[in-house]
Amino acid sequence: MGPPPWAFISRKGLREVALWLLSDRPMNGAELIRAVEEVTWGFWRPSPGSVYPLLRQLEAEGLARRREDGRYELTEAGRRAAKLIPWARGPRLGGPRSVEEVVEELESWALYLADVAATEPERVAPHRERIRKIAEVLQKV
């Protein structure tokens, strides 16, 4: 899942996309520009004149810090801010990278299934036994 097209309409859109991408791994400005271009399939390539002031702003706000290698990484406050981005709560591109991300993704999918079961039970009914077996496996963890 990537940023929705409307995320690019404003400067806030770049901020949200940058927080989302930096929550995956530290990046310098050039890497961030390339990552935005990749996740948008070439639709958007932010300019250095937008990205570098944003990185400095994130640093000034305590959401990111510049490492010795020139890459920016999110602080704990930055990670919390990234988790508040509504469209960034679903599965990530490339799948989860840590146990914490797996648990977050499982929680998201469980909430999704509960919503579908409440509103369209006929869609979930054929899969109830398999869902029950998955729940049993998770109970053993």
Side-chain angles (χ1 to χ4, degrees), residues 4-141:
W6 50 261
F8 312 120
I9 293 173
S10 68
R11 186 171 178 92
K12 180 182 177 192
L14 178 57
R15 178 186 178 87
E16 290 180 346
V17 171
L19 285 168
W20 177 69
L21 288 168
L22 289 171
S23 71
D24 259 355
R25 64 182 171 86
M27 290 185 235
N28 62 33
E31 290 169 324
L32 186 59
I33 290 169
R34 187 171 44 252
V36 170
E37 188 174 24
E38 287 173 6
V39 299
T40 63
W41 297 4
F43 172 75
W44 184 28
R45 181 179 173 86
S47 72
S50 297
V51 170
Y52 288 93
L54 173 63
L55 289 171
R56 286 192 301 274
Q57 179 184 355
L58 293 175
E59 190 174 22
E61 292 174 14
L63 300 177
R65 71 178 141 255
R66 189 167 191 252
R67 301 183 337 177
E68 287 185 21
D69 66 2
R71 290 185 171 92
Y72 289 82
E73 64 185 358
L74 293 184
T75 61
E76 276 307 309
R79 292 197 175 287
R80 286 192 302 274
K83 287 181 181 180
L84 295 176
I85 301 168
W87 53 261
R89 292 185 185 148
R92 301 187 69 83
L93 292 172
R97 299 176 195 263
S98 68
V99 171
E100 181 181 353
E101 286 185 12
V102 169
V103 171
E104 288 176 9
E105 194 167 321
L106 282 170
E107 182 180 31
S108 295
W109 285 110
L111 293 170
Y112 169 76
L113 285 172
D115 285 348
V116 173
T119 58
E120 303 174 76
E122 68 282 356
R123 286 183 56 205
V124 176
H127 308 283
R128 280 203 194 314
E129 181 59 24
R130 188 167 176 204
I131 292 168
R132 188 188 63 72
K133 287 179 181 179
I134 292 168
E136 286 176 8
V137 169
L138 290 172
Q139 286 288 327
K140 295 176 185 177
V141 173

